[in-house]
Amino acid sequence: MLRTGCLRRKGTTRLFALLLATMAAAGCYWTRYQALTETHLDLLTAYADKLASYAETGRPATPAEWPEFTYPGERAADFARIAGQRFEGRRSLTSLREAIAIYTELTRSPGILVVPDAAAQVNLQRQRLREAVGRTRLALDGES
């Protein structure tokens, strides 16, 4: 009988510790909204630039390489989804979602690199992305 009570306390203690760790991580996440948003903006821009360099040199991306381009958009979308739980309604979050949508369209298919006007198409999308990134940064500045 004594062992059962002891095991129950250990389980409760572990659960409590896990809950505290989760809450602490979430707290850090919320306090770092601006920095994390900036990181995602930097990554989206950098990978759009890399994609543009592929298009300008006529280099196609292999199927094995393509996830390198799609992953930043997926991570940014996940961040925006989580941030929306706390920051819904912020202009910066709305603008970030617009930038993510543009990036997602840009990286929809590796076929964008093999069309006759690949460089022009990629650069047009990249310019739209840069404008959305600029709007997001302006909104972040206004919110801080």
Side-chain angles (χ1 to χ4, degrees):
M1 283 288 192
L2 292 176
R3 284 184 87 76
T4 304
C6 182
L7 289 175
R8 196 173 308 139
R9 269 183 271 148
K10 283 183 183 178
T12 302
T13 302
R14 286 186 188 137
L15 181 60
F16 183 70
L18 180 61
L19 180 61
L20 279 177
T22 302
M23 288 172 54
C28 291
Y29 198 70
W30 300 135
T31 60
R32 298 194 59 225
Y33 169 77
Q34 184 164 355
L36 291 170
T37 300
E38 287 285 353
T39 298
H40 285 291
L41 294 173
D42 289 343
L43 286 170
L44 294 176
T45 302
Y47 277 93
D49 291 347
K50 184 174 181 177
L51 194 62
S53 73
Y54 274 43
E56 289 164 3
T57 59
R59 181 175 187 263
T62 66
E65 290 175 305
W66 196 245
E68 176 184 354
F69 293 103
T70 58
Y71 186 72
E74 293 165 359
R75 294 300 306 142
D78 193 41
F79 168 73
R81 180 187 57 77
I82 293 167
Q85 296 170 10
R86 175 94 181 244
F87 299 108
E88 197 61 54
R90 280 197 179 189
R91 277 190 20 228
S92 62
L93 185 57
T94 300
S95 295
L96 173 63
R97 287 177 176 149
E98 291 170 7
I100 294 166
I102 294 165
Y103 185 83
T104 300
E105 179 62 31
L106 175 63
T107 59
R108 180 180 304 266
S109 167
I112 194 168
L113 294 173
V114 295
V115 297
D117 59 345
Q121 285 189 31
V122 170
N123 282 319
L124 177 65
Q125 291 290 78
R126 183 171 67 151
Q127 182 57 38
R128 289 183 60 227
L129 175 64
R130 286 176 186 229
E131 291 167 3
V133 165
R135 286 190 301 273
T136 306
R137 288 193 166 122
L138 279 173
L140 281 171
D141 288 345
E143 294 166 354
S144 60

